[in-house]
Amino acid sequence: MDMTNIRARLIVVLVVLCGFLAVAGTPSATAATPSGSLSFDGTALTVQNGRFIDGQGREVVLRGYNVSGETKLEENSGLPFASVADAKKSATAVRALGGGNAVRFLLSWAHAEPVQGQVDTTYLANATAQMQAFLDAGIRVFPDFHQDLYSRYLFNSGSWYTGDGAPEWAVALGNYPAESCGICLFWGQNITQNTAVQDAQYDFWHNNYGLQDAFLATAQTTMTYLAQHLTSDEFAGVVGFDPYNEPYAGSYDSGETSRTWEQNRLWPFYQKFRARMDAAGWSSKPALVEPNLYWNGNVTNQEGGLLDAGTLGSRYVFNTHFYDQKAISGILMWGNASDGQYSTDFGTIRDRASAAGTTAIVSEFGHPLSGTTSGKAPTVDKAMYQALDSRLSGANWWSTPASSGPVLSGTQWQWDIYNGRHHELMNDNPDKVLTSGDAWNDEDLSAVNMTDSGTVTLRQDARLLDRIYPGATSGSTLAFTYEDRSRDGSTTLTWNPVPSSLPNVAALVGSGQYAVQVWRSSSATAPTELHLPASFPTASTTVVSDLGTAYGPPAYTSSTPVGVAAEPGGTGSRRLLLTDSDSGVLHFALVTNGATSPSSTVLNAAKAELAAWVAAKF
């Protein structure tokens, strides 16, 4: 923790003792690190050289889910979960079933400031307690003040649609016209066709009625509360803050374009939010800032991407969403997604972050799991995860791996354990009780639900969601791929087969899942670690690396170059730890569950093939 944070915390303590702080409560006592932690776990992340970097100098990749769209509903008072117990249950499942090491944690402005100028500390306390459930399981968190269609209070009780975000008092200030989307097939069309939504967004971005000032004040109070009420270990697990979900102008001023709106309205707002973060004791954490919602839409597309913000650097992260509008439409893309479907789209995200001098995170992606286009979900989501892992298609990965690019962080939309069993009064209408799907504008994207007995279960193929990924790399990842062999119905999707030019590697992998990572070591002081899915039992996992080979890797020790350890949090999830003692050296590792008791001869032959391949390609 730097001196700025130390001073900020001392000031907060003094203010509390004097009785002047508006936010009530006492900071928690220092807690122990999560169970299963190793000496190098749990350090705060910073942004350096276009990557997330932990306290040991390792390059970190965040993977996980949004928790949750439940925040957009009223049934649990704008909280992601009905109880801390449900939050803890979800935290365990995010690790053990979903393979996640991070969550985007949704917050509600309407519930944080239900009365103008008065922050609801009970809401903040409940949200903090639910956030702690994830932090105490060793899962990193970044909060998000969420909004869609500006506010639910723009919509009448009989409307086909609803929104979330701004409080009722904020809407009452605007005297907005009656909401109407006209002929809208999708709820998102309200963004550009509903005059009430457009006018309200316009007012926010122009700070009419002091709306933006009020939001920023509430955000600062919220961040101050979190910094005060999380332990130092927990606060270290907070990555940063996502200021505003899916920003959009509402309508443009005369002569204004999407690009100049970003430059003159959105970016100044982020600079103000950044200053609020600093004042709240978050100066060492980045703001995860989103560009214009439509900057990378593959149907609706408007120029943007914070092109005129200059070098974002270490104090900001380029934070974006991606949904395949063509696939969701059911008209503009008839068939399924295929190998490399989103290589270009996600390559653009990588390039924009690189040009901005920072790292990127795709904080929302996914596809509906019910409805007329739901049959595309297995291939669309596989292609999106493939594009997060590498900017190459499977067909090109082995031949040109040096062009693989950085591994992107991402959080899938969404993780809603109440999926299919909600009790939401839509727009407070007792005659419109929503129970199905996500209970919000007919969406159904949750990767999970809960059984009658209270068990969290996956709604999607575990092979797709519980993935190998390089959670922390002792150096810089040069190439990564994961062939998950996920299913589309009864069909196994294999988009990246091992080439026949590597016969021993292909024999080891067989019909199993596999990952390959190539990295260049650095002066980092902890091992490279890859998440091991539940489909990779330790006893039947094969590792072939220049650092060593193993079938059924041993337990990790500091002197074991290839070893397995528990992931923090006591959830039963595991990680592979690869230890080098050099800097500037190329290393590689193949991890597969396809082999059965391979001989040392086969392991060494596969190692030689991979070493020759690395030497030729890098």
Side-chain angles (χ1 to χ4, degrees):
M1 184 180 299
D2 60 25
M3 290 302 298
T4 301
N5 275 343
I6 293 172
R7 286 195 295 271
R9 284 175 179 251
L10 287 174
I11 291 170
V12 168
V13 171
L14 289 172
V15 172
V16 171
L17 291 175
C18 293
F20 297 131
L21 186 64
V23 179
T26 303
S28 304
T30 300
T33 54
S35 60
S37 295
L38 295 170
S39 61
F40 44 79
D41 292 330
T43 58
L45 298 186
T46 56
V47 178
Q48 301 175 35
N49 300 318
R51 303 289 189 273
F52 285 118
I53 302 295
D54 70 7
Q56 282 73 40
R58 296 182 299 174
E59 175 184 284
V60 169
V61 171
L62 304 175
R63 290 289 177 86
Y65 304 86
N66 283 259
V67 295
S68 111
E70 177 69 18
T71 300
K72 298 158 71 166
L73 308 181
E74 289 299 300
E75 62 185 6
N76 285 319
S77 302
L79 292 166
F81 301 97
S83 65
V84 172
D86 278 358
K88 290 180 178 179
K89 182 185 297 185
S90 278
T92 297
V94 161
R95 276 282 204 194
L97 297 180
N101 67 355
V103 293
R104 182 176 183 238
F105 191 97
L106 274 60
L107 297 171
S108 166
W109 179 20
H111 287 273
E113 190 186 4
V115 177
Q116 187 173 5
Q118 298 181 29
V119 173
D120 184 345
T121 55
T122 298
Y123 176 77
L124 295 186
N126 289 334
T128 301
Q130 293 187 11
M131 192 180 297
Q132 285 172 310
F134 291 87
L135 294 165
D136 293 346
I139 295 171
R140 297 187 187 273
V141 170
F142 59 102
D144 154 49
F145 264 119
H146 207 82
Q147 73 79 36
D148 290 286
L149 308 184
Y150 189 70
S151 174
R152 68 192 302 268
Y153 297 105
L154 287 171
F155 295 85
N156 63 61
S157 61
S159 177
W160 290 2
Y161 304 105
T162 190
D164 70 287
E168 186 173 16
W169 61 261
V171 171
L173 292 174
N175 191 29
Y176 299 115
E179 55 90 8
S180 173
C181 192
I183 301 174
C184 286
L185 299 178
F186 307 101
W187 71 259
Q189 291 175 266
N190 283 271
I191 298 170
T192 56
Q193 293 178 216
N194 189 325
T195 303
V197 173
Q198 289 178 293
D199 289 356
Q201 290 277 27
Y202 181 92
D203 281 348
F204 180 86
W205 295 113
H206 287 73
N207 198 26
N208 294 337
Y209 316 110
L211 288 167
Q212 197 175 114
D213 290 340
F215 175 83
L216 289 167
T218 296
Q220 181 176 340
T221 301
T222 299
M223 289 186 284
T224 300
Y225 189 97
L226 289 170
Q228 177 189 353
H229 289 78
L230 297 173
T231 69
S232 57
D233 289 335
E234 290 166 346
F235 194 58
V238 177
V239 177
F241 210 108
D242 181 348
Y244 197 92
N245 179 68
E246 297 183 352
Y248 185 67
S251 58
Y252 295 119
D253 287 322
S254 177
E256 191 175 47
T257 67
S258 57
R259 179 167 178 171
T260 59
W261 174 79
E262 280 194 347
Q263 180 182 12
N264 299 326
R265 298 290 175 187
L266 183 60
W267 180 241
F269 166 75
Y270 286 147
Q271 291 176 305
K272 293 175 186 177
F273 195 96
R274 174 71 266 181
R276 299 285 185 153
M277 291 179 69
D278 296 346
W282 292 53
S283 59
S284 63
K285 300 181 185 295
L288 288 78
V289 294
E290 301 184 33
N292 172 8
L293 162 64
Y294 293 121
W295 85 279
N296 63 339
N298 64 356
V299 175
T300 305
N301 187 274
Q302 299 180 5
E303 186 181 23
L306 302 176
L307 293 169
D308 301 297
T311 301
L312 300 184
S314 62
R315 287 168 57 78
Y316 298 91
V317 168
F318 187 72
N319 172 15
T320 187
H321 299 172
F322 184 81
Y323 293 99
D324 186 345
Q325 297 170 339
K326 293 180 180 179
I328 292 173
S329 75
I331 298 171
L332 300 174
M333 183 183 121
W334 287 101
N336 288 336
S338 58
D339 176 29
Q341 184 89 18
Y342 305 116
S343 295
T344 299
D345 296 297
F346 283 58
T348 299
I349 295 169
R350 288 177 171 87
D351 293 342
R352 181 68 204 108
S354 177
T358 188
T359 190
I361 185 167
V362 185
S363 62
E364 284 190 30
F365 64 95
H367 189 83
L369 299 182
S370 64
T372 57
T373 70
S374 60
K376 299 177 188 293
T379 57
V380 167
D381 288 342
K382 178 180 172 72
M384 289 183 178
Y385 274 110
Q386 180 193 48
L388 287 171
D389 289 345
S390 170
R391 66 187 304 153
L392 297 172
S393 66
N396 294 326
W397 193 88
W398 284 97
S399 58
T400 58
S403 300
S404 190
V407 182
L408 287 176
S409 294
T411 49
Q412 182 177 333
W413 185 271
Q414 68 155 324
W415 189 276
D416 174 17
I417 62 174
Y418 311 112
N419 176 275
R421 53 179 66 239
H422 291 282
H423 190 84
E424 173 72 3
L425 278 61
M426 184 176 180
N427 298 318
D428 297 321
N429 187 340
D431 296 324
K432 295 186 73 172
V433 180
L434 305 182
T435 59
S436 62
D438 300 337
W440 196 86
N441 286 342
D442 293 325
E443 286 201 336
D444 184 12
L445 285 93
S446 178
V448 294
N449 59 13
M450 194 160 53
T451 66
D452 291 341
S453 61
T455 302
V456 178
T457 59
L458 295 181
R459 301 177 64 222
Q460 294 181 272
D461 190 347
R463 302 170 190 87
L464 171 74
L465 301 180
D466 190 12
R467 310 175 63 80
I468 294 181
Y469 59 91
T473 299
S474 184
S476 297
T477 298
L478 303 181
F480 177 77
T481 190
Y482 180 53
E483 179 48 78
D484 57 44
R485 312 268 193 187
S486 56
R487 274 42 165 195
D488 180 7
S490 60
T491 301
T492 298
L493 302 172
T494 300
W495 291 353
N496 192 356
V498 179
S500 58
S501 58
L502 302 171
N504 288 286
V505 174
L508 273 180
V509 169
S511 60
Q513 299 166 291
Y514 79 88
V516 174
Q517 183 181 11
V518 180
W519 73 100
R520 190 178 299 279
S521 62
S522 69
S523 56
T525 56
T528 292
E529 59 182 80
L530 296 98
H531 170 70
L532 284 178
S535 59
F536 280 71
T538 302
S540 56
T541 293
T542 300
V543 181
V544 177
S545 171
D546 65 293
L547 299 171
T549 63
Y551 176 71
Y556 166 76
T557 69
S558 59
S559 59
T560 304
V562 178
V564 172
E567 289 179 314
T571 64
S573 59
R574 295 155 303 113
R575 51 186 158 167
L576 176 69
L577 295 168
L578 305 169
T579 305
D580 64 64
S581 57
D582 48 42
S583 182
V585 176
L586 275 175
H587 294 290
F588 64 84
L590 164 77
V591 188
T592 183
N593 59 6
T596 302
S597 301
S599 67
S600 59
T601 301
V602 171
L603 292 174
N604 289 330
K607 178 180 176 180
E609 286 179 355
L610 288 168
W613 171 77
V614 169
K617 300 298 183 180
F618 296 87

